[in-house]
Amino acid sequence: MLSPWDTHNQDLVAQVHPSDWKNPTPAPRYNLVVIGAGTAGLVTAAGAAGLGAKVALVEKHLMGGDCLNVGCVPSKAVIRAARAAAEARRAGEFGVNVTGVEVDFAAAMERMRRLRASISPHDSAKRFTELGVDVFFGGARFVDSETVEVAGQNLRFRRAVIATGARPVQPDVPGLRETGFLTNETVFSLTSCPRRLAVIGGGPIGCELAQAFQRLGSQVTLFHNKNHVLDREDADAAAIVQQAIRRDGVELMLNTQFKSMEKKDGAKVIHFDATGAGGSVVVDEILASAGRAPNVEGLNLEGVGVRFDSRKGVLVNDHLQTTNPRIYAAGDICTRWKFTHGADFAARIVIQNALFLGLPFIGRKRLSALNLPWCTYTDPEIAHVGVSEHDARAHHLELDTYTRHFKDVDRAITDGDTEGFVKIHTRKGTGEILGATIVGTHAGDLISEISVAIAAKVGLGRLASVIHPYPTRAEAIRQLGDAFNRTRLTPNVKGLFTKWLSWTR
């Protein structure tokens, strides 16, 4: 199921799909049957079992889902190796002479597989069995509104949860399938670095892997169908990342329209039209990162009255309940944002709503109440939470925006990482924080302070009174609190202070 079949991948599979696994005898009835053992399914199963529910968890491939096997974990290991190479190349800026930097791509990928295997026990069949969950391997199919069939056995349920996730889509380009391409499901099986790599898609995954492979030794050409990469992010932040990717040597082809692709003389040829350029590019590998499609096939959703869309996935209400009231959904199969932490918190909503509906002292949780931060792990990183300037314009919401550039933050200066900024949006005329974007080193870690402030309804002015260690990059957030408080010092207030201080001298 994974390549190469080395000891690390063997260890991984032994945890998340043991070859000698025997499905248990089904219980007479389950409180929850969870279909899919990615993040949403795992959190749902573990949380429900921990509360005393009888739970069955069904997985047809690898437990851990995309995040462990072909997503967050392997990509961040590869990105870390790429950052090490980039840091070595710029070590001279700090008076450290490093010559002849060589990347051992095979060793970097071996490290990734080793670390992935070491993390896999958290998502293993053994661990979930020990938690009291009945783990079944095989494809699941609804028989009716209270039964799921898996590997020839029927699992009866009070409630069911669809958590089957999503998969990469194939771009609609003539000749792409015949030419051959990689996705996030296959790229981490590489053991040698492609000399020339084309990446299709300038979203988060495309930008992360384009920069990483460029730093690891590929000559990368990144194709995107918009006029700048990361077009869903803050435009100022995306511009900084785009400049950084170009500085690393990635060739950007923007506003691209593909004409065709073909194999020729052992290589892959891409014919395209793009802003400022057109023609053909010859590469050794193509990585398609142009969106994801929900895994809705084979479940017999039509037979149990669960509405779904082939692009958007399973339709749910704000309580994550499908059009069949006994069946819920969580994670990439039904939410517009495709993040592990989003799937985690969607699962928590499902646990409460599916198990405790009707209890007078336990309310129903809503998806719309989540304040979801996210991070794109390029260098520099982009992290965001809450309302953006684009959101504010769309909803006619008036904002005050406070920005602190890292070039003015002492720790960023001494670290030599001055690219980027912290941008915080407040409701106009108040200190109520509605959203923020951070672009820079460790932006994904820094955004959590602002997420906490939003969740706890702590205004920007109060952040000024939170003591931050000096020197740190997080001081930029406190400094924006100071900037907000300075706006409170109106000429009239300052005049009163001046008179008081003059009188008391």
Side-chain angles (χ1 to χ4, degrees):
M1 290 184 279
L2 290 171
S3 176
W5 194 237
D6 61 0
T7 57
H8 304 310
N9 279 342
Q10 290 173 37
D11 289 345
L12 172 67
V13 172
Q15 296 288 340
V16 297
H17 195 145
S19 60
D20 59 351
W21 186 263
K22 289 182 172 53
N23 286 342
T25 300
R29 189 177 179 89
Y30 291 96
N31 296 102
L32 277 184
V33 169
V34 183
I35 305 173
T39 298
L42 293 174
V43 173
T44 301
L51 292 170
K54 187 63 178 174
V55 180
L57 176 63
V58 182
E59 173 56 51
K60 69 176 181 179
H61 189 37
L62 302 176
M63 295 181 67
D66 269 20
C67 183
L68 171 66
N69 299 294
V70 294
C72 310
V73 171
S75 68
K76 300 314 166 284
V78 171
I79 287 168
R80 180 62 185 92
R83 189 170 82 244
E87 289 169 345
R89 292 183 185 115
R90 64 175 292 219
E93 298 175 23
F94 303 91
V96 179
N97 295 319
V98 176
T99 58
V101 176
E102 295 183 7
V103 174
D104 185 338
F105 183 84
M109 298 299 278
E110 187 274 338
R111 172 184 177 272
M112 176 274 293
R113 296 192 300 274
R114 172 170 50 83
L115 296 179
R116 179 173 60 182
S118 73
I119 292 171
S120 65
H122 300 308
D123 297 346
S124 67
K126 179 176 182 289
R127 174 175 180 250
F128 275 76
T129 299
E130 291 172 349
L131 291 174
V133 176
D134 285 353
V135 177
F136 295 83
F137 284 102
R141 178 182 180 277
F142 285 100
V143 177
D144 53 42
S145 291
E146 61 177 24
T147 311
V148 165
E149 188 273 332
V150 54
Q153 299 187 92
N154 285 338
L155 312 182
R156 298 185 66 242
F157 60 81
R158 175 73 175 173
R159 297 284 186 267
V161 180
I162 304 167
T164 50
R167 63 186 184 278
V169 300
Q170 176 186 322
D172 185 18
V173 181
L176 175 59
R177 181 180 295 276
E178 295 76 13
T179 303
F181 63 99
L182 301 167
T183 68
N184 71 289
E185 293 182 344
T186 54
V187 70
F188 300 113
S189 294
L190 291 175
T191 55
S192 61
C193 188
R195 187 167 62 89
R196 300 162 299 184
L197 175 68
V199 177
I200 300 174
I205 296 174
C207 286
E208 288 175 3
L209 293 182
Q211 184 182 47
F213 272 83
Q214 180 73 34
R215 289 175 163 188
L216 291 172
S218 290
Q219 176 52 58
V220 177
T221 304
L222 175 60
F223 294 91
H224 191 50
N225 62 358
K226 302 293 193 306
N227 60 9
H228 66 84
V229 300
L230 299 173
D231 43 273
R232 296 183 180 180
E233 297 286 358
D234 177 281
D236 296 333
I240 290 173
V241 171
Q242 180 166 300
Q243 182 181 23
I245 290 173
R246 276 188 164 137
R247 188 170 60 243
D248 278 325
V250 174
E251 185 176 9
L252 290 182
M253 296 293 181
L254 301 174
N255 290 319
T256 299
Q257 298 296 321
F258 293 108
K259 295 163 67 176
S260 64
M261 298 182 184
E262 62 177 334
K263 285 183 179 179
K264 188 175 182 181
D265 299 328
K268 302 180 181 185
V269 185
I270 301 172
H271 304 285
F272 65 93
D273 291 318
T275 299
S280 302
V281 168
V282 180
V283 298
D284 302 293
E285 292 286 358
I286 300 169
L287 171 61
S289 175
R292 297 180 67 74
N295 294 320
V296 294
E297 297 81 8
L299 296 171
N300 188 32
L301 299 180
E302 306 94 331
V304 288
V306 173
R307 291 182 59 197
F308 66 93
D309 182 284
S310 60
R311 291 187 306 107
K312 297 180 180 179
V314 172
L315 275 63
V316 293
N317 61 20
D318 203 22
H319 305 292
L320 292 177
Q321 193 174 37
T322 73
T323 48
N324 183 322
R326 297 175 64 123
I327 301 173
Y328 290 74
D332 291 4
I333 190 65
C334 63
T335 54
R336 62 183 178 85
W337 22 257
K338 314 297 184 189
F339 305 120
T340 293
H341 51 287
D344 181 328
F345 276 78
R348 296 163 192 250
I349 291 173
V350 164
I351 292 169
Q352 180 163 323
N353 293 343
L355 294 182
F356 301 111
L357 175 64
L359 281 179
F361 53 89
I362 297 182
R364 301 189 73 188
K365 286 193 172 183
R366 295 179 294 110
L367 185 68
S368 59
L370 295 182
N371 196 37
L372 190 81
W374 66 77
C375 182
T376 297
Y377 297 92
T378 47
D379 186 8
E381 296 176 354
I382 296 180
H384 175 81
V385 66
V387 172
S388 66
E389 290 168 298
H390 178 269
D391 296 331
R393 287 192 296 270
H395 295 91
H396 307 291
L397 185 64
E398 293 189 348
L399 301 177
D400 289 325
T401 298
Y402 300 85
T403 304
R404 183 69 169 171
H405 291 272
F406 284 119
K407 65 182 177 62
D408 300 317
V409 176
D410 293 356
R411 178 59 185 272
I413 293 169
T414 58
D415 280 351
D417 287 321
T418 56
E419 277 190 318
F421 55 78
V422 178
K423 182 185 289 187
I424 297 180
H425 307 297
T426 63
R427 191 179 300 277
K428 191 170 184 63
T430 77
E432 180 189 357
I433 301 173
L434 298 181
T437 293
I438 303 177
V439 56
T441 301
H442 302 305
D445 296 304
L446 295 174
I447 200 69
S448 292
E449 179 175 353
I450 303 173
S451 298
V452 169
I454 294 174
K457 302 187 184 305
V458 174
L460 183 54
R462 286 185 62 192
L463 289 182
S465 64
V466 177
I467 301 173
H468 291 64
Y470 175 87
T472 58
R473 300 176 69 85
E475 271 197 303
I477 297 171
R478 181 193 57 75
Q479 290 164 350
L480 290 180
D482 289 338
F484 168 79
N485 286 338
R486 285 194 292 271
T487 68
R488 306 294 92 187
L489 189 63
T490 64
N492 287 339
V493 172
K494 186 174 181 180
L496 290 172
F497 285 168
T498 299
K499 289 179 181 178
W500 166 257
L501 293 170
S502 176
W503 181 72
T504 57
R505 266 201 292 276

